[in-house]
Amino acid sequence: MTGLRWGILATGGIAGAFASDLRTAGLDLVAVGSRSQESADAFAARFDIGRAHPSYEALVSDPEVDIIYVSTPHPMHHENARLALEHGKHVLVEKAFTLNRAEAEDLQSLAAERGLLVMEAMWTRYLPHMVRIRELIADGALGEIRAVSADHTQLLPSDPAHRLNALELGGGALLDLGIYPISFIWDILGAPTSVRAVGRLIETGADAEVATVMTHEGGAVSTSLSSSRAAGPNVASIVGTAAHIDIDTVWYSPTTFRLVLPDGTVQEEYVSEVEGRGMQYQALAAERLVHDGILEGDILPIAESVAIMGTLDEIRAQIGVRYPREEV
């Protein structure tokens, strides 16, 4: 541990999962901020947090807090993260990082100007099985990678008023679900050289299904599928000339994978042994970066998070999704 003192901004379900994993890892969770004292008090009691603030402004002004986890809905990420940075706090921002690339670039610039860490909470990248996969790739175990595929499909609430379906709240499959396979593809193959996307929109104008086909440097191809209206296998694969990796369900959480040779021989089988959900690994990574005085991480640099938001912007443009604030 580096001694950083964590504050959590907002008290929804993902905030609870993160708080639980911080406790699992023995990290220093000292404060929570909500839009009401009642909600902050209830969250603080649940996770034994000493300081409960009735506003986000009070949280970011707390001198006992060093780093803040922003867990509000997508449209609030930029505003809330900016508020924390302006008050001198390092920030871990729930994915998708922002609504669009322009907002992401603004946070990147402000953090650099203030000498602070701003990092996207794409927790999957930091999980042990993903670390091992990157090691195998770096060692050449797969040969030349030719294709990557991943899906993130869930049966989620269909109520048009639900956050997941409301455009004004960044609703749709892409930002909630599609960010996982898109970020995974970026992790393995890097930036796409071309993007093709199709989608199905619901009555609110939000995307319920999105599929992508992208090409990458060297001619490798990738495919992704996201859906908020149907649950699929939620698996992923990386196909190389010397071997392929099959990641089991649910591929973006602690799970198993196999390294398989062309003749079908399983050369390695990896089984995750993770306590809790696994969100603590991103927090530990953020602490190490701050401790070492590094503001651009190697697992997911802020420049890459910004560029990924640009890819999501392109996908949305192709399927016809535009958020209300972008109409101004």
Side-chain angles (χ1 to χ4, degrees):
M1 292 187 294
T2 61
L4 287 184
R5 298 165 297 181
W6 285 86
I8 293 182
L9 190 150
T11 57
I14 194 69
F18 184 71
S20 179
D21 281 351
L22 285 186
R23 288 296 187 219
T24 294
L27 300 185
D28 196 8
L29 175 55
V30 302
V32 61
S34 180
R35 290 174 295 181
S36 74
Q37 188 69 63
E38 181 181 10
S39 177
D41 287 342
F43 193 92
R46 180 182 170 194
F47 295 104
D48 191 25
I49 300 171
R51 307 162 77 85
H53 296 290
S55 70
Y56 300 154
E57 290 78 7
L59 173 66
V60 300
S61 299
D62 188 336
E64 300 300 315
V65 173
D66 303 309
I67 184 167
I68 287 177
Y69 169 66
V70 172
S71 63
T72 46
H74 309 304
M76 293 77 163
H77 287 180
H78 174 255
E79 175 186 351
N80 298 153
R82 196 171 222 291
L83 182 69
L85 290 168
E86 288 172 343
H87 283 77
K89 311 300 185 186
H90 303 288
V91 187
L92 177 64
V93 185
E94 189 49 53
K95 44 84 197 108
F97 187 55
T98 52
L99 270 186
N100 53 41
R101 178 166 184 151
E103 291 184 351
E105 287 176 337
D106 181 64
L107 294 181
Q108 179 187 26
S109 296
L110 180 60
E113 174 188 313
R114 300 296 176 93
L116 296 166
L117 175 74
V118 62
M119 183 172 126
E120 182 182 10
M122 177 43 72
W123 61 291
T124 299
R125 288 217 185 181
Y126 301 89
L127 292 173
H129 74 286
M130 290 296 179
V131 173
R132 178 57 183 155
I133 286 170
R134 286 193 293 269
E135 289 173 350
L136 288 169
I137 292 172
D139 290 342
L142 277 73
E144 182 183 359
I145 297 176
R146 303 308 309 151
V148 174
S149 65
D151 79 301
H152 190 179
T153 49
Q154 296 189 37
L155 181 60
L156 299 177
S158 59
D159 179 2
H162 193 282
R163 176 191 71 80
L164 292 164
N165 303 310
L167 271 185
E168 66 274 15
L169 295 177
L174 186 63
L175 291 194
D176 266 276
L177 308 178
I179 179 61
Y180 283 89
I182 297 301
S183 184
F184 172 65
I185 289 165
W186 263 82
D187 191 17
I188 304 303
L189 293 177
T193 53
S194 70
V195 177
R196 297 291 182 269
V198 294
R200 182 179 71 88
L201 308 187
I202 58 175
E203 63 273 19
T204 64
D207 50 291
E209 278 90 30
V210 182
T212 67
V213 177
M214 300 189 289
T215 58
H216 302 262
E217 185 177 352
V221 298
S222 67
T223 60
S224 77
L225 172 64
S226 304
S227 175
S228 60
R229 295 297 174 89
N234 290 307
V235 295
S237 66
I238 306 169
V239 180
T241 55
H244 68 270
I245 288 175
D246 295 327
I247 313 176
D248 295 325
T249 188
V250 172
W251 69 266
Y252 51 83
S253 65
T255 188
T256 56
F257 74 79
R258 289 165 305 287
L259 176 68
V260 185
L261 300 181
D263 65 1
T265 301
V266 177
Q267 189 170 47
E268 177 175 329
E269 183 166 10
Y270 185 96
V271 179
S272 292
E273 295 181 0
V274 172
E275 188 176 0
R277 191 180 188 214
M279 299 182 76
Q280 65 269 31
Y281 295 101
Q282 61 183 347
L284 291 165
E287 291 210 2
R288 284 193 295 270
L289 290 171
V290 172
H291 178 266
D292 294 342
I294 300 172
L295 304 180
E296 187 80 13
D298 55 346
I299 292 178
L300 181 54
I302 185 58
E304 187 169 330
S305 290
V306 170
I308 289 171
M309 290 311 306
T311 297
L312 297 185
D313 288 352
E314 174 59 26
I315 293 168
R316 288 194 297 112
Q318 291 189 25
I319 66 175
V321 173
R322 191 172 177 86
Y323 303 120
R325 72 169 57 178
E326 295 176 316
E327 303 289 348
V328 178

